[in-house]
Amino acid sequence: MRFASSVIGLAATASTAAAVTAANSGIKGFNYGAFFLNQAAKQQADFEYEFNRAKNLPGTSGWTSARLYSMIQWGTASDVISAIPAAIQTKTTLLLGLWVSGSDQAITNEIAALKAAINQYGSAFTDLVVGISVGSEDLYRDASGEIGVGPQKLIDCISQVRSAIAGTPLAGVPVGHVDTYDSFLNGTNRAVIDNIDWLGFDGYPYWEQTKPNSIGDAHERFYDGFNKTLALAGNKPVYVTETGWPVSGKTVNLAVPSPENARIYWQDIACSLISRGVNLWWYDLQESQWGQADPDFGIFPAGDLNAVSPSYELSC
């Protein structure tokens, strides 16, 4: 029993230390998927091209971080995603993601890729990692009858990740989970919050079709969910891991996609979060490539990122 108590004490200390390093520090970045719309896997050169473009945006600067959804190269069982060497080459910081939905094998494969990345790239990789997200909107999908995981399974995955990084250079990196605010507010998921160092908030007024969600309502919709999540998080930091407004697509209730409305949303939401120093990963840099997204949340339209112009102004 004394041994067990010591282990619990050490775990609590480690969690506290991680929570300290998890504090918001004004990180700015984008979400990056593992494949294009035609299902072709992104290669290292593709990620480097995107990361370098994000660093050189007109009217704004400092977008030097990437949020990933998976550690695994698209189309493989557990190969390390090529975004890792791309981040090393471009000095892009990383909010890692481990995909846990679908099967019990998912987290096993993700951890295998994470360990392989540590062994293969060493400190050149680990020094870039600002956080690890175990899962993405899994609680939301599970509650919606889609392929997700429930709270207890998610907690088990979080525990497996903490065990996997113990004794590695990533041991002190804060571990969190990304989900919708209503998922965090669901009392049955409270135990998940108790087991993470930070909360990742995904907020899209565009999709909130049961409430007033015009671009004029967007500020209230976004900050209503964000502030509720802050209150629920207590002393744990909340990152904004996904938000944006589409430049094209269907109208959802009162939400009209357009470059003009996306500009308003950027100026209102992105700029206010930046001024507050909240860690922010916008959705997203370019969504339509080798296909047309519908709706399209990308700042850039389809085409060569260095040849096309942003669909709206990015100054604050």
Side-chain angles (χ1 to χ4, degrees):
M1 290 297 291
R2 289 178 61 188
F3 173 76
S5 298
S6 298
V7 171
I8 292 171
L10 286 169
T13 301
S15 179
T16 301
V20 172
T21 60
N24 277 290
S25 57
I27 295 170
K28 293 184 290 184
F30 293 97
N31 289 267
Y32 295 91
F35 54 90
F36 295 112
L37 288 183
N38 65 354
Q39 300 295 302
K42 289 182 183 179
Q43 305 301 322
Q44 180 177 342
D46 299 315
F47 282 112
E48 287 188 24
Y49 208 70
E50 293 177 333
F51 295 167
N52 281 323
R53 189 66 180 104
K55 288 183 174 183
N56 296 282
L57 298 175
T60 186
S61 62
W63 296 84
T64 57
S65 191
R67 177 191 170 220
L68 306 179
Y69 293 88
S70 174
M71 283 300 303
I72 299 173
Q73 180 71 3
W74 183 250
T76 73
S78 59
D79 291 354
V80 177
I81 189 169
S82 56
I84 303 304
I88 294 170
Q89 289 297 317
T90 59
K91 295 180 173 56
T92 299
T93 65
L94 294 165
L95 180 63
L96 300 179
L98 282 74
W99 193 262
V100 302
S101 291
S103 70
D104 291 341
Q105 191 63 35
I107 186 61
T108 301
N109 291 346
E110 290 283 352
I111 288 175
L114 177 61
K115 289 181 174 180
I118 296 171
N119 293 333
Q120 183 174 353
Y121 298 108
S123 61
F125 160 55
T126 57
D127 287 351
L128 295 173
V129 180
V130 298
I132 300 173
S133 174
V134 182
S136 178
E137 297 190 0
D138 307 89
L139 299 172
Y140 166 77
R141 291 194 304 276
D142 186 62
S144 302
E146 302 173 31
I147 299 175
V149 297
Q152 291 308 312
K153 174 62 178 176
L154 182 56
I155 290 170
D156 176 65
C157 291
I158 293 166
S159 177
Q160 289 185 57
V161 171
R162 289 196 188 278
S163 295
I165 62 176
T168 78
L170 293 182
V173 171
V175 176
H177 173 68
V178 171
D179 228 303
T180 60
Y181 79 89
D182 49 342
S183 297
F184 283 124
L185 294 176
N186 186 331
T188 60
N189 298 327
R190 175 70 216 194
V192 172
I193 298 175
D194 295 336
N195 282 272
I196 54 180
D197 305 314
W198 55 269
L199 286 70
F201 172 83
D202 285 2
Y204 290 98
Y206 170 76
W207 291 116
E208 295 199 49
Q209 58 186 340
T210 62
K211 300 176 183 178
N213 69 334
S214 70
I215 191 61
D217 301 306
H219 181 94
E220 181 180 356
R221 289 282 73 76
F222 178 86
Y223 275 106
D224 177 63
F226 183 66
N227 290 334
K228 286 177 179 176
T229 306
L230 285 176
L232 189 66
N235 64 351
K236 296 183 179 183
V238 177
Y239 306 161
V240 175
T241 41
E242 280 187 40
T243 193
W245 192 277
V247 297
S248 65
K250 65 179 181 180
T251 296
V252 176
N253 190 25
L254 303 175
V256 179
S258 72
E260 295 76 16
N261 285 345
R263 163 61 182 163
I264 293 170
Y265 191 78
W266 173 275
Q267 193 166 31
D268 192 5
I269 303 303
C271 295
S272 63
L273 291 169
I274 291 168
S275 69
R276 294 171 61 170
V278 176
N279 290 350
L280 169 63
W281 287 270
W282 196 259
Y283 192 87
D284 65 353
L285 187 70
Q286 184 183 50
E287 192 167 19
S288 292
Q289 190 63 291
W290 303 110
Q292 178 60 50
D294 185 19
D296 187 348
F297 283 83
I299 289 173
F300 288 91
D304 184 335
L305 274 173
N306 284 327
V308 296
S309 299
S311 295
Y312 53 91
E313 187 185 349
L314 301 174
S315 62
C316 286

